[in-house]
């Protein structure tokens, strides 16, 4: 029990920040600009906070499996946002104006993100059929987290794009 608590703290205090730092570096390396880093990290953190809040409301006991939720959610939430940022830049390179690029990129990539998120959602929720209560809770929370990350990505990222200055391509 004490070792499980130590490992849960290690996951939240060390593994989650290291995962986040690696993902931030990869996003910066991919785009060479800071605005995609702020978009992915900002929306990702909001998705993690909401997901973890739901997990704590459902069960206030943080076990070793639930301690993995922040790191897994950071990876899951980054993918949709990276796709949105990439398509936005491609639309700008194609000569579209800012608003038009936002609408086109979010409508095209938003549908693809929907399909990947639905499959990931069902993949995680299928863990709810495992006869171990800890895995059931983890599957439900991660499935809910995927849904939260998708909703936040397709709502907050276009808002972020519209508020920031049009990036140079």
């Amino acid at each position: 029990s004490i070792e499980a608590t130590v490992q849960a703290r290690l996951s939240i205090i060390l593994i989650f920040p290291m995962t986040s730092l690696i993902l931030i570096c990869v996003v910066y390396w991919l785009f060479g600009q800071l605005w995609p880093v702020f978009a992915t990290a900002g929306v990702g953190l909001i998705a993690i906070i909401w997901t973890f809040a739901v997990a704590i409301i459902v069960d206030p006991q943080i076990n070793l499996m639930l301690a993995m939720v922040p790191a897994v959610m950071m990876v899951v939430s980054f993918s949709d946002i990276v796709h949105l940022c990439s398509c936005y830049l491609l639309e700008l390179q194609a000569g579209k104006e800012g608003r038009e690029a936002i609408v086109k990129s979010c409508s095209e990539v938003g549908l693809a993100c929907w399909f990947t998120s639905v499959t990931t959602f069902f993949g995680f929720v299928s863990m709810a059929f495992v006869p171990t209560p800890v895995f059931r809770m983890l599957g439900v929370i991660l499935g809910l987290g995927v849904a939260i990350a998708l909703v936040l990505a397709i709502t907050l990222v276009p808002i972020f794009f519209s508020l920031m200055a049009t990036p140079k391509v």
Side-chain angles (χ1 to χ4, degrees):
S1 176
I2 292 174
E3 183 60 28
T5 304
V6 168
Q7 292 303 318
R9 285 185 184 182
L10 177 73
S11 179
I12 292 172
I13 293 171
L14 181 66
I15 295 173
F16 168 63
M18 291 302 295
T19 303
S20 300
L21 182 63
I22 291 168
L23 286 169
I24 286 169
C25 290
V26 167
V27 169
Y28 183 76
W29 175 72
L30 286 172
F31 291 98
Q33 300 179 44
L34 284 177
W35 66 267
V37 171
F38 289 121
T40 53
V43 175
L45 284 173
I46 294 169
I48 290 165
I49 290 168
W50 286 16
T51 303
F52 218 53
V54 170
I56 298 303
I57 289 170
V58 171
D59 183 11
Q61 299 290 345
I62 299 175
N63 57 44
L64 186 57
M65 299 305 281
L66 283 180
M68 295 185 329
V69 168
V72 173
M73 283 307 304
M74 187 59 97
V75 174
V76 168
S77 66
F78 263 54
S79 62
D80 290 341
I81 303 164
V82 165
H83 291 305
L84 288 167
C85 292
S86 176
C87 190
Y88 178 56
L89 282 175
L90 289 173
E91 294 299 328
L92 290 173
Q93 284 176 343
K96 298 214 172 21
E97 294 297 319
R99 183 168 168 74
E100 186 182 0
I102 292 169
V103 171
K104 183 133 167 94
S105 64
C106 292
S107 62
E108 287 179 3
V109 176
L111 184 60
C113 291
W114 163 255
F115 287 128
T116 58
S117 293
V118 166
T119 57
T120 306
F121 170 84
F122 282 113
F124 282 136
V125 170
S126 69
M127 290 172 55
F129 297 106
V130 174
T132 308
V134 175
F135 282 105
R136 285 181 179 171
M137 175 64 81
L138 179 66
V140 170
I141 294 301
L142 286 176
L144 184 63
V146 169
I148 289 170
L150 174 67
V151 168
L152 289 174
I154 61 176
T155 56
L156 294 182
V157 172
I159 293 169
F160 176 75
F161 288 165
S162 67
L163 293 176
M164 71 179 211
T166 304
K168 294 177 180 154
V169 291

